[in-house]
Structure formats: C-alpha cells, structure tokens
C-alpha cells in the first residue's frame, strides 16, 4: 500500500509507479491518435503558428478561435509581417475575440522577435518566456508542441486531468497544490513525444474529462484514474466558483457631426475596457439614471454636452463581473469645432467607413443601427 498525493492511504500506485505511468501514456496517446480533433494549428505546428493559437485560445473556446486564427495567418503569415502591421488592422482582425490586451501583447512581442531574434521565433525556453504575454504554461506549450521540447504544461484542462488521475484533492489555487501538479505534469512526460502527450492531455480534458459530468465511460484511461476508482470525479479538482454578477446601466451616444457627414467615435484609452479599439462616446462609470444625466457626466471628456433626442437600441451583455444594460441614444448634431478632445483621440466616420474601423462588440452592433438612419 502507498500514500496518494493528498496523504490518504491507497491500495494503488500512481505517479510513483512507472508501470502505471507507461500504461496511461500508451492509452492516452492511442486515443489521441484516433480521436483528436482536426484543428488548423495542428497541421503545421511551427513555433509561430502554435504561439498565435495559444494566445487566441486563452479564455476563448476552440470553436470561436478557428476562424480568427485562419484570418489572422492569412493577413500576417510570418512574425515579420505581424511586427510590421499597423495596430488598427490588427485590432480589426481581433475584434470580437475579446481580451484585447492579448492582441497588443502579441504585436509587441513580434516586434521584439524581429529586433532581437532576426524575425525567427526563438526556441530557447528563457527567450520565449521573456516575450510579452507569455508565461510558464504558454512557453511550454509552444516549445513542446512545435519542437518536442520536454516541457510540462499546466492549464485548466490538464489541472483537472492530472488532479483526477492522482486523486489530488488540494486547493488547485494553493501554491503547494500547484507545485505538485507541475511535478505530476513533468513526471508524466515521455522522453520523446512530449508535444503529443501535452496535446492529448489537454484534449482529454476538453472532450472527455469535463468539469461537470465527465464522460468516464468514454475515457481511455478510466481504469487507471484514482478519482474514477474512488468515485471522486464530482469533487476533484473542486467546484468552480461562479461569478457573482453586478447589474449596471451604461449609456452610449451616437453623435452626428453635421459639417463632416459622419459620426463621432473615440479611441478607448489604455487601462479601460476595450483599450486600443474605437467606440461611440459612452458613459461607463456612472450613477446616472437618465441619458441626459449620463451626457453631462462625459461632457468634460468630450468638451461639449451631447443632447440625446431618441433611444435607438438597448443591448444587454456581460463583461467580467458586470451584467450590463447599454442604452444607445441618438443625439442632436454638433459641429466639429465643438469637440475639444485631442485630435488623435477621436475620429469622424460615415457608417460605411466604420466598417473598417476596429470597434468594440457593442459598438459594431450599433453601427448596424446607423444604416437605418439618414444623416
């Protein structure tokens, strides 16, 4: 009898048993070879391709990423092309993918790769880790998948898989538990084929070893899983904390600029939601109950007070911990001379010209409303 990783008695060896490790590897890799999803970044897993996919997959589902990935590589087939890109078309391609800081970081990293590595994505672990937006997991994923470097990876799916395989019941956010999981991830790696193993473990977590109601009857390694043997799948690795949403009302203003035949849009400043994109003027951090009160709140930012005349749309959406009801209002026309913002902080575009401008998700929805209006 041996001790399992949480210190409880167990009559089955796991991570300290090379026979168990070999059996899990063999069955997992056979399953992956047979049932792995066909994904575009798997067909030509260069470091650049894997890097782009891994950044896009952060906090985003695979089905959503596929189209973005293909369009991104079509526009920027190399690191050099990405580094040379203007921010606006880059952000336009990223529009709707969310977490826009990722796009700015990948752009910044591409420029560093050109400056410091001659445009070739580095294959040294420390060099990869030094790039903006890349941590231990992402560096390990890029190099193990693209070069078969023997580097462990730990993310949501593999945390769940490794915890269940070994019946590890500690708090996965605690440092001691995280250290154990990194040790498990490293121990499980084969001498060759680490990239395949890492992908297989992530795939198992995504498709079979799900957070709720895992498909243990379809799992290729169920007979070797301690959580399955002890019927602990529901409690390992612990329940996901549900987000407690806070309701709030925000106001957007669609402001016609009469002497330009267009609409006022503002660049979202750094540190704010959707930073780097463009949006219609809006009051986001306000206690205002009416559009007119919200318009007064943003008058200092704009240099004038918008005069709302008609509510055009209501859009409900969630961002981080907020459940937002966005009220969009058409305002009276203004003259460009009334705008006191710095010129690089705003633009005036027709509804047709707004199509090519990188906008927030709700901003893009509001553009559709403009096509129903006549200036």
């Amino acid at each position: 009898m041996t001790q399992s990783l949480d210190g409880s008695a167990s009559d089955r060896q796991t991570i300290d048993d090379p026979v168990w490790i070999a059996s899990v590897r063999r069955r997992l890799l056979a399953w992956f070879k047979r049932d792995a999803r066909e994904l575009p970044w798997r067909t030509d897993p260069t470091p650049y391709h894997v890097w782009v996919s891994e950044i896009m997959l952060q906090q985003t589902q695979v089905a959503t990423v596929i189209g973005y990935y293909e369009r991104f590589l079509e526009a920027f087939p190399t690191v050099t092309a990405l580094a040379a890109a203007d921010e606006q078309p880059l952000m336009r391609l990223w529009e709707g993918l969310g977490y826009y800081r990722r796009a700015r970081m990948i752009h910044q990293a591409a420029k560093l790769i050109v400056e410091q590595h001659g445009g070739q994505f580095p294959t040294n672990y420390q060099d990869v880790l030094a790039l903006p937006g890349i941590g231990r997991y992402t560096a390990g994923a890029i190099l193990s998948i693209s070069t078969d470097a023997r580097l462990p990876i730990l993310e949501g799916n593999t945390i769940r898989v490794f915890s269940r395989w070994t019946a590890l019941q500690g708090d996965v956010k605690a440092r001691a538990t995280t250290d154990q999981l990194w040790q498990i991830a490293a121990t499980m790696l084969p001498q060759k084929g680490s990239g395949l193993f890492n992908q297989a473990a992530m795939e198992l977590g995504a498709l079979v070893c799900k957070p709720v109601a895992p498909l243990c009857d379809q799992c290729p390694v169920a007979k070797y899983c301690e959580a399955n043997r002890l019927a602990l799948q529901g409690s390992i690795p612990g329940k996901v904390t549900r987000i407690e949403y806070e309701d709030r009302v925000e106001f957007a203003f669609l402001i016609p600029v009469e002497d330009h035949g267009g609409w006022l849009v503002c660049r979202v400043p750094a540190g704010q939601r959707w930073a780097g994109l463009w949006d219609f003027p809006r009051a986001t951090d306000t206690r205002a109950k009416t559009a007119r009160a919200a318009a007064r709140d943003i008058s200092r930012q704009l240099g004038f007070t918008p005069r709302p005349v008609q509510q055009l749309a209501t859009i409900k959406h969630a961002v981080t911990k907020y459940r937002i009801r966005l009220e969009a209002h058409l305002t009276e026309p203004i003259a460009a001379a009334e705008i006191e913002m710095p010129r690089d902080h705003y633009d005036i575009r027709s509804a047709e010209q707004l199509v090519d401008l990188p906008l927030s998700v709700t901003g893009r929805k509001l553009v559709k409303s403009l096509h129903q209006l006549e200036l």
Side-chain angles (χ1 to χ4, degrees), residues 133 154 165 198 200 228 255 300 310 340:
L154 201 63
W165 282 355
N198 282 334
N228 181 55
I255 305 173
R300 183 177 299 179
Q310 177 186 351
E340 297 182 4

Side-chain angles (χ1 to χ4, degrees), residues 11 34 47 88 107 133 145 162 176 214 250 293 328 331 357:
D11 61 1
R34 184 182 66 249
Q88 183 165 307
H107 197 201
I145 294 171
F162 297 151
E250 297 180 356
T331 74
L357 199 66

Side-chain angles (χ1 to χ4, degrees), residues 326-338:
L326 175 66
E327 294 187 4
H329 292 259
L330 176 67
T331 74
E332 294 180 5
I334 62 164
E338 295 181 57

Side-chain angles (χ1 to χ4, degrees), residues 156-197:
N157 288 315
T158 55
I159 286 173
R160 187 165 59 256
V161 166
F162 297 151
S163 295
R164 285 174 174 166
W165 282 355
T166 59
L168 180 61
Q169 299 186 68
D171 179 358
V172 295
K173 293 184 179 180
R175 177 63 181 271
T177 307
T178 300
D179 288 345
Q180 284 184 299
L181 285 166
W182 277 111
Q183 179 185 354
I184 294 168
T187 302
M188 291 301 304
L189 290 177
Q191 291 299 321
K192 294 183 179 181
S194 293
L196 281 176
F197 177 86

Side-chain angles (χ1 to χ4, degrees), residues 138-253:
T138 304
I142 293 169
L143 294 179
S144 69
I145 294 171
S146 66
T147 72
D148 201 32
R150 196 169 186 270
L151 292 168
I153 62 173
L154 201 63
E155 43 77 64
N157 288 315
T158 55
I159 286 173
R160 187 165 59 256
V161 166
F162 297 151
S163 295
R164 285 174 174 166
W165 282 355
T166 59
L168 180 61
Q169 299 186 68
D171 179 358
V172 295
K173 293 184 179 180
R175 177 63 181 271
T177 307
T178 300
D179 288 345
Q180 284 184 299
L181 285 166
W182 277 111
Q183 179 185 354
I184 294 168
T187 302
M188 291 301 304
L189 290 177
Q191 291 299 321
K192 294 183 179 181
S194 293
L196 281 176
F197 177 86
N198 282 334
Q199 291 180 85
M202 289 190 289
E203 191 88 333
L204 188 74
L207 301 182
V208 177
C209 195
K210 298 181 178 183
V212 178
L215 308 176
C216 298
D217 59 332
Q218 301 177 28
C219 179
V221 295
K223 66 180 290 185
Y224 298 100
C225 175
E226 282 292 274
N228 181 55
R229 185 178 72 87
L230 300 170
L232 294 174
Q233 304 96 315
S235 59
I236 295 178
K239 295 182 178 179
V240 177
T241 302
R242 293 188 177 274
I243 298 175
E244 295 293 332
Y245 286 104
E246 177 182 332
D247 292 327
R248 65 188 300 175
V249 179
E250 297 180 356
F251 297 87
F253 299 97

Side-chain angles (χ1 to χ4, degrees), residues 330-365:
L330 176 67
T331 74
E332 294 180 5
I334 62 164
E338 295 181 57
I339 306 170
E340 297 182 4
M341 299 175 68
R343 186 62 184 89
D344 60 345
H345 288 193
Y346 75 91
D347 203 350
I348 301 168
R349 298 285 187 102
S350 69
E352 290 73 21
Q353 291 172 332
L354 286 171
V355 171
D356 296 323
L357 199 66
L359 294 166
S360 68
V361 173
T362 50
R364 182 63 59 194
K365 292 180 179 179

Side-chain angles (χ1 to χ4, degrees), residues 244-296:
E244 295 293 332
Y245 286 104
E246 177 182 332
D247 292 327
R248 65 188 300 175
V249 179
E250 297 180 356
F251 297 87
F253 299 97
L254 282 65
I255 305 173
V257 184
E258 55 188 356
D259 48 346
H260 280 67
W263 302 87
L264 178 65
V265 287
C266 302
R267 189 189 297 272
V268 181
Q272 294 190 15
R273 185 200 318 159
W274 298 315
L277 300 180
W278 292 81
D279 200 5
F280 295 98
R282 71 170 69 194
T284 58
D285 187 15
T286 179
R287 295 183 179 179
K289 302 298 184 183
T290 67
R292 291 191 179 277
R296 289 193 294 271

